[in-house]
Each structure stands twice: as C-alpha cells, then as structure tokens.
Amino acid sequence: MHIRISLIAKSIALTLGTSMVAAAIALAAAPTTADMKDFNSTVDKDKNMHLEATAEINAPQDKMFDAISHPELTSKSDPQVQKAVVVSQDSNSKVVEFFGGQQLPIPNAPKSLKIKVMPDQASNTIKVESYQSPILKFQNEYKLSPTKDGKGTIVKYSSVSNDISKQIGMDIPADMRKQIGLETFMNQMYTVGVYIDDSAVASAKHK
C-alpha cells in the first residue's frame, strides 16, 4: 500500500485514538495503492471541523466496500490498535470497540474507543460515527464509486469532528486538526489496502 501524504502531529492524533503513518509508506508485496486527489476543510462557529477528501484506490468497489465496512478486521494492520471487537450488531449497523495505548496523558481518558458502523450497500455508502465517547465526537461518511476503467474505486470522504482542545488541555490549531484528519483518513485507506491484499493472498493459498 502506497500513501502520498506528509505526517504532522502524530502524538496529537494518537490522543484521538488514531494512528499515523510516515510519508510515502510503501509495501513492496502489496499492490493496492491509494492516492489523495483533493481535500477541503472549514471550521464552523462551534469549532467543529468539516473535512472533505477524495482518494483513488486501485481496488474494486465491492472489495473496498467490504473492507471499510469491517474496521474490526482492517485494524489488525494498525500498530496502535491492540484489539478490536464487535460489541453489538443488528441488520443495519454494528458497534466496534478498539483498544490501544495512548501516548499523551488525558484526565479520565477512556481505555478504548467505540464507533458505530452503518454500511448501506444500495447507496455504496458507509457511515461511521463516534459512540458513547466523552472526548471525541465525529461523524464520517465514505461514498464509493468506480473509476472510469471500472477496476478501481473513488472514495469521497466527509467528516465532522469536535474540537478536543479543552479536554486535552492544549490548543489544537485548525491546520493541525485538518492534517490529523487527512492522515487518519489515508491511514485507514492503508489498513484497508493491507486487508484486501492479505485476503487475496489467503484466498490464493486455498485454491
């Protein structure tokens, strides 16, 4: 998986329960690649960050939909996630809980992060939002469409997240919050790519 995006404020991002990746990560054995195409961000009057980004991945849309819909599986390649479990599930959504270390001390910081995942196959959309989090609140959406040749996937990502400056006791500038959001999105595309590639290898071995 190859990612073309620079790394800023890794330690802050870890506080959010996310992990960052260094610029130009390359895995020679992993043919899946993700390229950032464009992005935009704004901050509203309540200091919520609105982020939009588009990435193109050379993996089929059905595989991308399946991977993004299963963060409990794709997170296995994230070194900051020690364990991920599905704590509840119904026909339309599931709640996934992630456990992992945090590198910055936060008063009463939770030991895990829960998200609610809501895939919609009919619209090729996956919505993900924070769940019962006292610190970080966000709503993300992934809208998938095929590339012109039909072999890859265009992922249109939108996110709204709160400002956690008060909770962590330090100001996080808007530019840093934007970079954290972009890094988090592209890191997810990295873990999705690793999952797709590993699944292909496992499938080949069983043929």
Side-chain angles (χ1 to χ4, degrees):
M1 182 73 179
H2 181 69
I3 298 175
R4 299 179 184 133
I5 187 168
S6 61
L7 173 63
I8 296 179
K10 178 177 180 180
S11 60
I12 299 287
L14 291 174
T15 304
L16 306 183
T18 64
S19 65
M20 298 300 154
V21 290
I25 287 181
L27 297 181
T32 302
T33 61
D35 291 322
M36 179 76 77
K37 293 301 181 182
D38 56 62
F39 58 86
N40 179 58
S41 67
T42 58
V43 178
D44 63 28
K45 61 181 179 63
D46 297 318
K47 295 186 177 182
N48 295 312
M49 171 70 72
H50 297 253
L51 178 65
E52 295 181 350
T54 302
E56 185 173 321
I57 299 89
N58 66 335
Q61 182 176 313
D62 60 337
K63 293 185 181 298
M64 287 295 297
F65 186 91
D66 175 70
I68 297 175
S69 299
H70 292 87
E72 71 278 12
L73 300 178
T74 60
S75 64
K76 291 180 179 180
S77 62
D78 189 333
Q80 291 300 320
V81 176
Q82 297 173 356
K83 182 174 68 171
V85 296
V86 176
V87 295
S88 65
Q89 188 168 7
D90 58 33
S91 59
N92 299 314
S93 66
K94 62 183 171 184
V95 175
V96 181
E97 186 170 10
F98 300 94
F99 299 85
Q102 293 187 350
Q103 295 187 357
L104 291 181
I106 301 176
N108 302 315
K111 298 183 181 299
S112 65
L113 174 69
K114 292 181 181 179
I115 62 171
K116 187 175 184 179
V117 184
M118 296 160 283
D120 184 351
Q121 189 83 60
S123 64
N124 292 311
T125 301
I126 304 102
K127 294 183 179 180
V128 179
E129 61 185 35
S130 55
Y131 186 78
Q132 298 178 343
S133 173
I135 297 177
L136 178 63
K137 301 183 184 301
F138 61 84
Q139 294 179 323
N140 299 341
E141 181 177 285
Y142 307 80
K143 177 67 175 178
L144 278 55
S145 62
T147 53
K148 290 182 179 179
D149 62 7
K151 296 179 180 180
T153 305
I154 297 172
V155 179
K156 290 187 177 296
Y157 171 76
S158 61
S159 174
V160 180
S161 58
N162 67 320
D163 181 14
I164 66 167
S165 296
K166 290 183 179 180
Q167 289 91 328
I168 68 174
M170 62 183 295
D171 181 59
I172 307 176
D175 285 347
M176 186 176 291
R177 291 176 62 192
K178 175 180 69 176
Q179 189 66 31
I180 290 170
L182 291 173
E183 290 285 356
T184 302
F185 169 54
M186 291 305 288
N187 183 62
Q188 184 182 18
M189 294 301 96
Y190 163 74
T191 60
V192 163
V194 172
Y195 170 76
I196 290 173
D197 294 334
D198 287 351
S199 296
V201 171
S203 178
K205 287 182 178 179
H206 287 86
K207 287 184 178 181

